[in-house]
Amino acid sequence: MKEKITAMEQEALAAVAACADLKALEDMRVRFLGRKGLLTDILRGLATVSAEDRPAVGQAANQVKETITAVLDARKALLESALDEKQAVDEACDWTLPGRRAPLGHMHVINQVAKEIIDIFGQMGFQVAQGPDVETEYYNFDALNTPSDHPARDSHDTFFVKPGVVLRTHTSPVQIRVMEQAKPPVAVIIPGRVYRVDYDATHSPMFFQVEGLLVDEGVTFADLKGTLMHFIHTFFGPNTQVRFRPHFFPFTEPSAEVDILWTADDRHGGGTKSRWLEVLGCGMVHPEVFRNVNYDYEKYAGFAFGFGVDRMAMVRHGISSISHVYENDLRFVEQF
Ligand code: DAH
């Protein structure tokens, strides 16, 4: 008798736990505790138990009834709360409304312009090369024919990391790293961050440059001009007027700065206003630079150039202050 009670208890516990809805649960209540249920059956059999055992068996039967009642109630509460929740969600949500779109990001204007520049040179056969932001003085200056007492060094206002180690002031040191690794012909375009102690409307302590280097036999200044004219006409428009102005850089000889005649809306007078804007530096690679990388300067010639990506972006988009470019104000960023 006692075994029968225990077996029923086990069966009931498993059955209740398996009930997935209130209807199934009610069926189980009837099956185990109902007037014609299993427990009633068992209690009816009590008459056959000896008078001596009867109290213990009766007590066991009552205990089981309590246990089953308790698990039935607990399961019922659980199923009801799940039902409430589903109902609450159903009522709170209008499933017919259109979904909310996640806002899509886009490339920053500097990256857009850098990519465009790299694409233009890429189509001419230049390959992308890169180098470290933290650079030795040797690569940043000495190997580029700018010794420690050279006046050109002052204009760079260098951040020193420790003696002999700087945040690179230009992308030109990567020229040296490339030539140390590869023999001519070399044609690379080198985008990257550069750093200078400088901060005003047109200068940011960190900005982006792109460097170019081409070395081969028989390269002339005409190749340099043709390459840069093609770039400027592609980037600023085919009718852009270009001017090469003699200049000095320690790592090129001869050297030039390149200006474009830029027409912008005249904010004050109305109409438009044109003026010459310096956009890049360039020249023929200095023999001393070739010597530093063990290139035969009798056999090879090369040209190099460098410019600020931010400046290109500012000129083309009419951005008045470089700080806009780096402040990440969404009202600015989202215009591009
Ligand atoms: N490195 C120069 C600068 O930071 C730019 C430059 C000028 C790079 C002439 C060159 C070059 O490769 O030939 O202002």
Side-chain angles (χ1 to χ4, degrees):
M1 188 86 185
K2 264 197 132 149
E3 283 91 75
K4 239 173 122 181
I5 294 173
T6 316
M8 191 203 74
E9 181 178 20
Q10 297 304 324
E11 190 193 334
L13 291 181
V16 170
C19 285
D21 57 48
L22 292 170
K23 163 89 175 65
L25 199 63
E26 185 51 28
D27 289 349
M28 286 304 123
R29 180 187 298 280
V30 172
R31 175 172 155 74
F32 292 103
L33 304 181
R35 255 186 307 125
K36 293 176 184 164
L38 291 174
L39 188 69
T40 315
D41 251 12
I42 287 170
L43 291 176
R44 227 174 257 135
L46 215 56
T48 63
V49 175
S50 67
E52 183 189 338
D53 288 342
R54 206 170 291 153
V57 175
Q59 206 180 357
N62 274 333
Q63 193 101 56
V64 167
K65 184 175 178 179
E66 269 174 39
T67 309
I68 296 175
T69 306
V71 295
L72 280 166
D73 288 350
R75 184 81 192 155
K76 188 171 177 202
L78 193 77
L79 290 173
E80 278 174 352
S81 80
L83 208 60
D84 284 352
E85 199 174 310
K86 185 175 176 316
Q87 200 170 0
V89 170
D90 280 347
E91 282 167 9
C93 298
D94 180 351
W95 301 106
T96 64
L97 284 175
R100 212 174 282 159
R101 241 172 237 280
L104 262 192
H106 64 78
M107 267 203 277
H108 189 271
V109 60
I110 290 297
N111 282 333
Q112 290 178 28
V113 169
K115 184 177 182 305
E116 207 180 312
I117 293 165
I118 289 167
D119 285 348
I120 295 170
F121 285 102
Q123 276 159 16
M124 290 190 270
F126 286 77
Q127 289 191 324
V128 173
Q130 283 185 299
D133 290 23
V134 179
E135 189 55 284
T136 62
E137 277 192 83
Y138 173 75
Y139 283 104
N140 197 78
F141 293 121
D142 303 295
L144 289 162
N145 197 33
T146 319
S148 46
D149 57 350
H150 201 290
R153 246 158 121 143
D154 295 341
S155 69
H156 278 223
D157 287 326
T158 313
F159 286 110
F160 278 83
V161 176
K162 58 182 183 190
V165 179
V166 302
L167 294 183
R168 66 178 176 197
T169 59
H170 51 177
T171 40
S172 306
V174 188
Q175 286 186 26
I176 303 294
R177 291 183 175 274
V178 167
M179 289 190 281
E180 281 180 346
Q181 297 296 321
K183 291 275 152 261
V186 163
V188 285
I189 187 87
I190 303 157
R193 289 182 165 86
V194 301
Y195 306 84
R196 288 182 199 179
V197 185
D198 222 349
Y199 200 16
D200 59 36
T202 50
H203 298 93
S204 155
M206 186 282 294
F207 58 105
F208 280 81
Q209 277 192 337
V210 166
E211 186 85 11
L213 173 72
L214 182 140
V215 183
D216 202 351
E217 289 179 44
V219 176
T220 68
F221 202 93
D223 297 312
L224 168 60
K225 267 186 106 168
T227 304
L228 291 179
M229 297 286 278
H230 173 74
F231 163 66
I232 289 170
H233 285 152
T234 310
F235 187 81
F236 287 109
N239 300 319
T240 310
Q241 282 194 59
V242 184
R243 177 169 89 174
F244 282 70
R245 196 165 26 78
H247 197 72
F248 172 81
F249 295 106
F251 32 88
T252 42
E253 182 60 37
S255 305
E257 275 189 342
V258 178
D259 304 332
I260 61 169
L261 189 63
W262 189 244
T263 305
D265 293 336
D266 182 353
R267 294 212 190 137
H268 308 293
T272 57
K273 214 162 86 176
S274 295
R275 60 191 176 109
W276 289 103
L277 284 179
E278 178 228 315
V279 289
L280 60 83
C282 62
M284 302 304 291
V285 179
H286 198 293
E288 204 57 48
V289 173
F290 278 156
R291 205 204 308 271
N292 290 334
V293 295
N294 292 317
Y295 272 20
D296 181 350
Y297 58 84
E298 303 276 342
K299 184 170 175 197
Y300 297 111
F303 65 76
F305 56 88
F307 55 86
V309 177
D310 349 57
R311 187 163 173 76
M312 293 288 176
M314 286 170 74
V315 171
R316 210 179 56 186
H317 293 296
I319 301 166
S320 55
S321 167
I322 196 170
S323 59
H324 291 320
V325 176
Y326 294 113
E327 268 167 6
N328 283 336
D329 184 331
L330 285 180
R331 289 168 302 178
F332 172 82
V333 170
E334 284 174 352
Q335 290 180 41
F336 303 94

